[in-house]
Amino acid sequence: MIKKTSISSKILIAMMLGLLLGSVVNVFFSEVAWLQSYLVDGLFYVVGAAFVNALKMLVVPLVIFSLICGVCGIGDVSVLGRIGVKAFALYVLTTGMAIVLALLIAIIVAPGQGFERVASVNAFIPPPAPPLTDVLANIVPSNPIHAFAEGNMLQIIFFVIVFAIAMLMCGDIGRELNQLAEKLNEVMMKVVTLVMDVAPVGVFCLMAKTFSEQGFGLIVPMIGYFSVVIAALLLHAFGTLSLLLVLFAKLNPLVFIKKMRPAHIFAFSTASSNATIPVTLQVVEQRLGVNNATAAFTIPLGATVNMDGTAIMQGVATVFIANVYGIDLGLGDYATVVGMSILASIGTAGVPGVGLIMLAMVFNQVGLPAEGIGLILGVDRLLDMVRTAVNVTGDAAVTCIVARGENELDDAVFNDPEAGVIIDIELPHKHPLENSG
Ligand code: ASP
């Protein structure tokens, strides 16, 4: 008899179990040295890190093949340009809305007033943020092989798009190459499925490691800051983005959020929108019904240039640190924070913790002490997990809106609760995973 088992439910259960076990280790066994070295820094670390590596392993080849198929599928440079401009403008707009919302909430709630700073300051020396001029000039790779090797997404996207446009201009040769890219893309999708099969184990270890190190205790002195960031993140995801989906894509946001679950779980456990690209792509294409031609282009772009959640953290952190240090910020400063957060969001890759580094750049501009970042360091990992989930939600929402405008969204797939064969697979009762457990 065939039993319907969904991989994403398994991953969700694994995530909860990891969170629970990690918290138990943190509360009761943090002093037990052998447990720390063999279990937390041993097993959990090795399996979790190997799993994240496996996800990252998928990103570059998947983006290359998928983007070639996408551009060739669109087939028209002017349409490609239109999609690119629309997606980019929406990414900037949603990030702007996110940061304004975060600033408003933070100014009203005013976290950090009367905060006891002395006991909890960590020394934090921020690494230098890259100058904006370099960020812009470096979108064009001087050596594409180097860009592939480094996984520099903006450079990869730039080169692959130029290459695929050239393929379009080459007639028959380009068509043959495209057929090959389609085959390779299909094989890569299979590789994604293989990695998904071991995802419950990987996610379990990632969560167990993070929570045995972090615990929830760290949150207590920072509860004001933490709650404001979380509230703004939730409001943006369930409020702003949902509203945009209803208004501009005529889509039910509840269905959207529900179908995003696999991408949320991966973003949450890896804290990296880049590593989550393979899952976001699959969710958007197979569960939300966006055509590959659009998604292959807008999802990697979004993972690189669109960080609504990160911008929200930066807005709240600015107000929080200003309150803690008793520094008054004027309207001009807030406008600078909005501009800088948008630029920071465009200029940085979706990897864990990068938002905090870019925060130093924002602080510099408005004259806040960079060492203030030390205060929020302790809770940043947990917030990073949540804001990464919001980052990928923004990527998917904008992709749906752009796809709707281009008539590239299949409502039948969007409304079909069973759609999404790769993430949610109908497994025979005795799946190999269950034997290996
Ligand atoms: N971890 C975030 C991401 O990958 C970036 C950040 O806010 O640090 O999207």
Side-chain angles (χ1 to χ4, degrees):
M1 190 193 142
I2 301 281
K3 182 181 169 230
K4 217 172 116 187
T5 315
S6 118
I7 281 273
S8 69
S9 304
K10 278 187 174 184
I11 297 171
L12 189 66
I13 294 166
M15 187 173 108
M16 300 297 184
L17 289 178
L19 193 151
L20 214 69
L21 181 67
S23 305
V24 168
V25 170
N26 179 273
V27 174
F28 299 108
F29 304 106
S30 55
E31 305 292 312
V32 186
W34 67 267
L35 205 78
Q36 289 296 321
S37 45
Y38 289 108
L39 193 68
V40 178
D41 297 330
L43 188 71
F44 292 164
Y45 167 72
V46 172
V47 179
F51 176 64
V52 174
N53 282 347
L55 278 175
K56 289 184 183 160
M57 162 185 95
L58 305 171
V59 173
V60 174
L62 193 67
V63 168
I64 295 174
F65 302 135
S66 174
L67 200 50
I68 289 181
C69 296
V71 173
C72 292
I74 292 172
D76 181 338
V77 182
S78 64
V79 177
L80 186 73
R82 194 176 65 218
I83 293 178
V85 169
K86 267 193 205 169
F88 190 78
L90 278 170
Y91 282 146
V92 171
L93 182 81
T94 48
T95 308
M97 291 168 94
I99 174 88
V100 170
L101 176 77
L103 283 174
L104 284 178
I105 299 179
I107 291 168
I108 293 168
V109 179
Q113 265 172 5
F115 184 85
E116 190 50 72
R117 159 157 59 103
V118 194
S120 39
V121 169
N122 294 319
F124 178 78
I125 301 162
L132 190 68
T133 41
D134 283 358
V135 171
L136 293 177
N138 289 339
I139 293 176
V140 184
S142 60
N143 179 349
I145 304 295
H146 189 239
F148 291 138
E150 271 200 320
N152 184 324
M153 293 316 291
L154 268 190
Q155 294 191 344
I156 293 175
I157 293 171
F158 183 87
F159 178 75
V160 175
I161 289 179
V162 172
F163 189 85
I165 290 175
M167 277 171 63
L168 282 177
M169 296 160 91
C170 280
D172 278 348
I173 299 176
R175 263 187 290 282
E176 278 164 30
L177 256 186
N178 185 28
Q179 281 168 5
L180 181 67
E182 273 167 9
K183 287 176 189 151
L184 287 169
N185 196 27
E186 214 171 306
V187 177
M188 264 324 288
M189 289 297 190
K190 264 283 173 293
V191 183
V192 174
T193 318
L194 293 178
V195 174
M196 290 309 148
D197 278 351
V198 296
V201 182
V203 166
F204 171 80
C205 289
L206 279 175
M207 297 301 288
K209 164 118 172 76
T210 305
F211 281 86
S212 41
E213 285 174 349
Q214 298 278 323
F216 284 104
L218 274 173
I219 298 174
V220 177
M222 300 291 293
I223 200 85
Y225 166 73
F226 192 87
S227 326
V228 174
V229 177
I230 296 288
L233 287 172
L234 294 179
L235 254 174
H236 182 68
F238 291 100
T240 316
L241 292 177
S242 296
L243 196 68
L244 292 178
L245 276 171
V246 174
L247 290 180
F248 298 112
K250 310 260 174 296
L251 291 175
N252 182 339
L254 294 177
V255 175
F256 170 84
I257 295 277
K258 191 159 177 252
K259 290 200 161 196
M260 279 295 288
R261 195 173 74 176
H264 285 153
I265 293 172
F266 277 80
F268 188 76
S269 1
T270 61
S272 166
S273 359
N274 264 10
T276 312
I277 289 175
V279 186
T280 320
L281 255 181
Q282 295 232 338
V283 166
V284 164
E285 288 176 16
Q286 319 238 347
R287 292 168 73 102
L288 300 176
V290 175
N291 188 321
N292 160 270
T294 309
F297 181 31
T298 55
I299 291 297
L301 184 72
T304 320
V305 306
N306 182 48
M307 289 181 196
D308 299 357
T310 305
I312 285 173
M313 175 280 285
Q314 292 178 337
V316 179
T318 308
V319 176
F320 175 71
I321 297 298
N323 284 341
V324 169
Y325 283 82
I327 299 171
D328 274 335
L329 296 177
L331 212 58
D333 293 318
Y334 290 125
T336 310
V337 173
V338 173
M340 291 308 289
S341 294
I342 293 176
L343 290 177
S345 162
I346 295 171
T348 43
V351 292
V354 70
L356 210 60
I357 294 170
M358 296 314 277
L359 187 59
M361 186 173 100
V362 179
F363 276 16
N364 256 346
Q365 291 294 318
V366 289
L368 289 181
E371 67 266 20
I373 295 177
L375 282 175
I376 52 176
L377 214 57
V379 286
D380 194 65
R381 174 68 197 191
L382 288 184
L383 288 179
D384 196 2
M385 298 162 92
V386 187
R387 70 176 180 252
T388 306
V390 174
N391 288 347
V392 303
T393 309
D395 303 341
V398 166
T399 296
C400 285
I401 294 171
V402 172
R404 171 64 87 209
E406 295 294 322
N407 237 339
E408 296 285 3
L409 195 144
D410 186 341
D411 283 293
V413 175
F414 185 90
N415 293 320
D416 174 5
E418 300 291 318
V421 279
I422 305 225
I423 305 284
D424 278 316
I425 318 167
E426 279 204 1
L427 299 167
H429 191 47
K430 263 201 168 315
H431 184 260
L433 253 184
E434 283 159 2
N435 294 334
S436 69

